[in-house]
Amino acid sequence: MDAFFSSSVLLFLLLFFAPLSCLTIPFTISLCGRAVGWYVRKKTAPRRELLLSRAEAEEKEYHAKGSPNGDHEWEKVESYAAGSDINGGKGSKDWTGVIGFFHPFCNAGGGGERVLWAAIRATQKRWPEALCVVYTGDHDVDKAQIIERVRTSFNIQLHPPKIQFLYLSSRRFVLASTWPRFTLLGQSLGSLILAYDAFNLLVVDIFIDTMGYAFTLGFSKFLFPDIPTGAYVHYPTISTDMLGSLDEGGQGLNAGKGTGWRGAAKRTYWQAFAWLYGFVGGQVDVVMTNSTWTQGHIRRLWGPRRAGRRKTFEAEAVFPPVAVEELEQAVDVSAESEKNRGKYLLYIAQFRPEKNHQIILDAFAKFLHASKGSAQEKPRLILIGSVRDSDDATRVYKLRLLAHELNVKDSVEFICDASWPQILHWLRCSWVGVNGMWNEHFGIGVVEYQAAGLISVVNASGGPKIDIVVETDGKPTGFHATTPEEFAIAFGKALTLNSDETLAMRLRARASAKRFTEDAFAEKWLKHMARLIKLHEDSHPSTTKV
């Protein structure tokens, strides 16, 4: 009887406390996260004071020496920044917080880095009292060297006293080579290690990821719920297009690989990762994307989770800054300059598999053979791209072999690791600009084609189709294609327009490119940055300046 009574009591306790424990476990985990966050914040508080004191000392020294030339460039930023606050007013121009930019490869010198530096430059001018901190893993360069490279590579002048660099020691955990299997998941989990490394260096007031490590933002919310988070997404880590590419007839590097048990396993893995990616993305307060294509995927993946939050903003496209003005000054587009252009088809892209150079070669061969015997100038295909390693060098060698097999080797020129003056030369004298990548997330190179007045022939997908090579005043600025046959037809159309139509299309393309200037980027960036600062002020009313 006693045994029966004891077992009944035990069963009752289990039935009563099991559901209760399920309700308290999430709360307990959240409480543990906040406790760790409190400890890390307290531990890094002295470094925060040190960085602020250093910035103040550097500011005094900077002004004592006199401001460098170029500060007048900021006047136009100030003119529209003054009204970019949430309510349209001037906003807290004297906000004195610390903004952290998570960009472990900040010295890489690519398009993603141009976004980072243009964002910091706009932020510095709009909120001159704020301190911008960049978390980087580039231990081989110091602050002065990074700032100088930003100036020489992008013509962006940063304000040195109000920017600091904190050096991460665990960047290897986000390298693809560290995770030969389950790379997507491995790199994402590795970013958590890197983020914890960053937080132990300094806990900032606003945390922004500008490189695509969404898991770091979810981790930040777990440890520091009161810190606003922002993301500038260059491309989704996973997308519905990637999942669709596994089907028969799909495109991309994994086209048709969803068959068999291996394919089924890969599909299940990607679907599980997509759910996890959506979960962490749902924690982000302010989301910017580099294109409408990226925006659509982020809204589908992150939107449902973000919609359930009390206060959230829709993910919006903020086109990356492109050196449009520089190209307008360097490349003339007029009836006179037409005399300097030859029948050159120019493709500027790294020699990577996803750039689809082989499709462009095949299309060029089809076009060339179809137009054989015509009296016009014989077209040439110019392939310009960087060679990063031995794999890229092997790829170039195979492309040369393909050109030989297609009997077009004498009409194709490969230029590896071209200098900027070389690129400018070909932008001045080429007729057509080509882009062959499927689902290019944005397409900075295509904008450069347009700014230089080239007639673009691009893949009918992603940013080039949706955002860049679009109609202006109801008229085309270029051509879209998907298959080699379609590209061949588009090449023919672009090269056979009459002189008036050709110049008109070039001028429309150049006008369209003005949507992607650094000023246009800065204006939109500041709108979203103001939202983050407002969120910080709302959660820390005692620290808000009046």
Side-chain angles (χ1 to χ4, degrees), residues 241-486:
D241 284 359
M242 282 178 63
L243 291 169
S245 72
L246 295 174
D247 299 331
E248 289 291 340
Q251 296 190 57
L253 299 179
N254 292 281
K257 293 185 178 179
T259 58
W261 70 268
R262 287 180 180 274
K266 190 178 190 71
R267 190 186 300 275
T268 302
Y269 162 53
W270 277 9
Q271 288 172 338
F273 182 81
W275 180 90
L276 198 58
Y277 184 61
F279 176 80
V280 297
Q283 315 305 311
V284 187
D285 294 307
V286 173
V287 179
M288 293 164 273
T289 67
N290 69 337
S291 69
T292 304
W293 182 89
T294 305
Q295 177 194 56
H297 284 282
I298 288 298
R299 283 185 175 181
R300 284 194 290 274
L301 290 165
W302 293 5
R305 288 279 180 180
R306 297 185 74 237
R309 303 182 62 199
R310 286 186 303 169
K311 188 172 183 179
T312 187
F313 305 96
E314 279 278 14
E316 294 183 16
V318 178
F319 298 134
V322 184
V324 173
E325 296 97 331
E326 183 180 347
L327 285 166
E328 286 179 339
Q329 294 173 3
V331 182
D332 181 35
V333 179
S334 65
E336 186 65 26
S337 67
E338 288 296 288
K339 301 173 185 177
N340 302 321
R341 293 189 185 272
K343 300 295 185 178
Y344 301 121
L345 288 80
L346 179 65
Y347 188 15
I348 302 176
Q350 289 182 326
F351 289 106
R352 304 203 312 256
E354 63 270 23
K355 296 301 181 180
N356 285 336
H357 286 88
Q358 68 278 7
I359 288 180
I360 301 305
L361 274 172
D362 188 16
F364 180 68
K366 284 179 167 57
F367 161 69
L368 208 60
H369 298 326
S371 59
K372 198 171 185 180
S374 62
Q376 65 178 7
E377 176 187 349
K378 190 175 182 180
R380 291 178 59 81
L381 176 63
I382 312 299
L383 301 176
I384 297 179
S386 60
V387 177
R388 302 165 299 172
D389 49 34
S390 59
D391 288 340
D392 285 355
T394 302
R395 201 166 291 115
V396 172
Y397 174 73
K398 290 181 178 179
L399 289 171
R400 290 181 187 275
L401 289 179
L402 178 60
H404 179 77
E405 292 170 5
L406 294 170
N407 296 317
V408 295
K409 67 180 181 65
D410 293 333
S411 299
V412 178
E413 184 171 350
F414 291 83
I415 303 175
C416 300
D417 299 318
S419 64
W420 179 240
Q422 283 179 292
I423 292 174
L424 278 178
H425 164 74
W426 286 108
L427 287 172
R428 289 190 188 104
C429 68
S430 294
W431 201 276
V432 173
V434 182
N435 178 279
M437 180 176 173
W438 173 69
N439 271 348
E440 178 95 66
H441 309 108
F442 178 64
I444 287 178
V446 180
V447 177
E448 291 175 342
Y449 293 156
Q450 290 194 328
L454 275 66
I455 296 175
S456 299
V457 177
V458 302
N459 193 291
S461 64
K465 177 187 177 183
I466 300 171
D467 294 321
I468 305 174
V469 185
V470 296
E471 290 188 346
T472 297
D473 298 327
K475 296 181 179 180
T477 57
F479 301 92
H480 304 144
T482 302
T483 64
E485 291 76 16
E486 290 175 354

Side-chain angles (χ1 to χ4, degrees), residues 54-68 159 161:
R54 181 185 298 171
E56 185 177 354
E58 290 182 4
E59 187 74 53
K60 291 178 181 178
E61 182 182 353
Y62 179 83
H63 285 295
K65 291 181 178 179
S67 299
H159 186 57

Side-chain angles (χ1 to χ4, degrees), residues 70-112:
D71 276 6
H72 66 277
E73 295 177 0
W74 289 100
E75 293 175 3
K76 55 188 176 184
V77 178
E78 285 184 320
S79 66
Y80 60 69
S84 64
D85 199 22
I86 299 295
N87 57 10
K90 187 170 182 179
S92 303
K93 188 174 177 65
D94 58 349
W95 187 74
T96 59
V98 181
I99 306 168
F101 292 84
F102 190 78
H103 205 105
F105 299 86
C106 78
N107 201 44

Side-chain angles (χ1 to χ4, degrees), residues 17 30 40 205 216 301 452 501:
F17 284 108
S30 176
V40 173
D205 297 316
T216 65
L301 290 165
E501 290 175 330

Side-chain angles (χ1 to χ4, degrees), residues 210-223:
T210 51
M211 207 170 174
Y213 296 110
F215 281 63
T216 65
L217 299 169
F219 192 34
S220 177
K221 277 297 180 187
F222 175 65
L223 298 178

